[in-house]
């Protein structure tokens, strides 16, 4: 392949990326301002000045566009979990993986303004408040949890179908992540660092909440953003 051909391929790839980014940004802006179900694919493509055929080249449906950023975050977490040292205990590995994933997301958003954190926050709230998307979100979450449980079981040399610990550990961990995501989404601080702070605070309480004496006053858990 000649240098000229390499340049042409590179230009085409960048053009495709710009088109996908533009479609995603417009879709999320429309979803979060006028409603997911009220937004049509025609409105998205008209705003970007491309055809419906172009939209479907990048996204199978509106639903796929709505969950595109969530997919990115989840993928980074799973990849980070796979990369954790084998000697780390399950909760330690998941906690370190989520820290690594959020660092990666924060860095990506800092250098790529396609989907600013503020728009991601609005998209998260949209998913949590739209019945059609909630149903999809619950299904996707169940599938993600099952995959993570299998990954944890493999790390520990366990059979996920006979040993309940991987699923219990993952359910507890992802439950905390859902709670902290909702708290962050209702707050006024859209920084990823704010989400990290709330997540650390609640993960610190996971052990005491499961095994501690609840009659002993817990540390202040309202320090997160309002």
């Amino acid at each position: 392949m000649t240098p000229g051909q390499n340049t042409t391929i590179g230009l085409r790839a960048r053009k495709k990326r710009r088109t996908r980014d533009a479609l995603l940004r417009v879709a999320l802006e429309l979803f979060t301002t006028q409603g997911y179900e009220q937004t049509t694919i025609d409105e998205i493509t008209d705003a970007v000045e491309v055809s419906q055929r172009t939209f479907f080249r990048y996204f199978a449906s509106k639903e796929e566009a709505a969950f595109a950023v969530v997919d990115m975050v989840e993928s980074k977490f799973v990849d980070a979990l796979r990369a954790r040292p084998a000697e780390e205990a399950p909760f330690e590995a998941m906690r370190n993986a989520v820290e690594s994933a959020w660092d990666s997301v924060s860095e990506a958003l800092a250098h790529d303004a396609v989907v600013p954190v503020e728009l991601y926050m609005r998209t998260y709230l949209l998913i949590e408040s739209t019945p059609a998307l909630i149903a999809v979100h619950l299904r996707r979450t169940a599938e993600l949890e099952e995959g993570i449980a299998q990954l944890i079981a493999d790390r520990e040399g366990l059979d996920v179908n006979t040993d309940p610990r991987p699923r219990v550990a993952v359910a507890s961990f992802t439950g905390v992540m859902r709670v902290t995501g909702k708290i962050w989404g209702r707050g006024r601080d859209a920084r990823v660092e704010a989400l990290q702070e709330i997540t650390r605070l609640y993960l610190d309480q996971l052990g005491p909440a499961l095994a501690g004496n609840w009659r002993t006053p817990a540390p202040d858990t309202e320090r997160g953003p309002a």
Side-chain angles (χ1 to χ4, degrees), residues 15-172:
K15 182 179 179 180
K16 289 180 179 179
R17 176 61 186 268
R18 285 196 299 269
T19 300
R20 182 188 184 280
D21 290 348
L23 286 167
L24 178 59
R25 176 71 176 265
V26 168
L28 296 184
E29 288 285 2
L30 289 173
F31 293 161
T32 57
T33 54
Q34 66 183 30
Y36 172 77
E37 293 174 336
Q38 290 72 31
T39 300
T40 66
I41 292 176
D42 279 338
E43 288 177 299
I44 299 169
T45 55
D46 287 348
V48 183
E49 298 183 339
V50 297
S51 65
Q52 274 201 13
R53 182 178 179 181
T54 299
F55 177 89
F56 288 115
R57 188 177 300 153
Y58 299 102
F59 303 102
S61 61
K62 286 198 309 177
E63 176 188 301
E64 186 173 304
F67 283 94
V69 182
V70 176
D71 277 338
M72 177 188 73
V73 174
E74 292 174 350
S75 294
K76 287 185 180 296
F77 169 72
V78 172
D79 289 344
L81 182 57
R82 286 197 180 99
R84 297 311 305 170
E87 63 269 17
E88 288 184 348
F91 273 118
E92 182 185 8
M94 286 190 286
R95 180 164 187 162
N96 288 335
V98 81
E99 289 276 3
S100 176
W102 280 122
D103 286 343
S104 297
V105 170
S106 183
E107 182 178 349
L109 293 174
H111 293 87
D112 186 353
V114 175
V115 182
V117 179
E118 182 271 339
L119 180 54
Y120 171 71
M121 176 188 272
R122 285 193 281 131
T123 301
Y124 184 89
L125 291 176
L126 171 79
I127 291 170
E128 289 286 332
S129 61
T130 304
L133 294 179
I134 290 175
V136 176
H137 189 40
L138 291 174
R139 172 179 56 77
R140 287 165 47 89
T141 298
E143 292 171 355
L144 176 66
E145 289 180 353
E146 186 64 17
I148 297 171
Q150 183 64 62
L151 181 53
I152 291 295
D154 291 344
R155 281 174 52 91
E156 302 299 313
L158 304 174
D159 183 344
V160 74
N161 294 314
T162 58
D163 193 318
R165 288 175 295 177
R167 287 192 176 109
V168 170
V170 170
S172 301

Side-chain angles (χ1 to χ4, degrees), residues 196-218:
Q196 289 176 302
E197 180 182 347
I198 301 170
T199 301
R200 292 186 190 111
L201 179 64
Y202 275 69
L203 286 175
D204 285 344
Q205 294 303 311
L206 183 56
L210 294 176
N213 180 358
W214 283 24
R215 296 182 183 181
T216 299

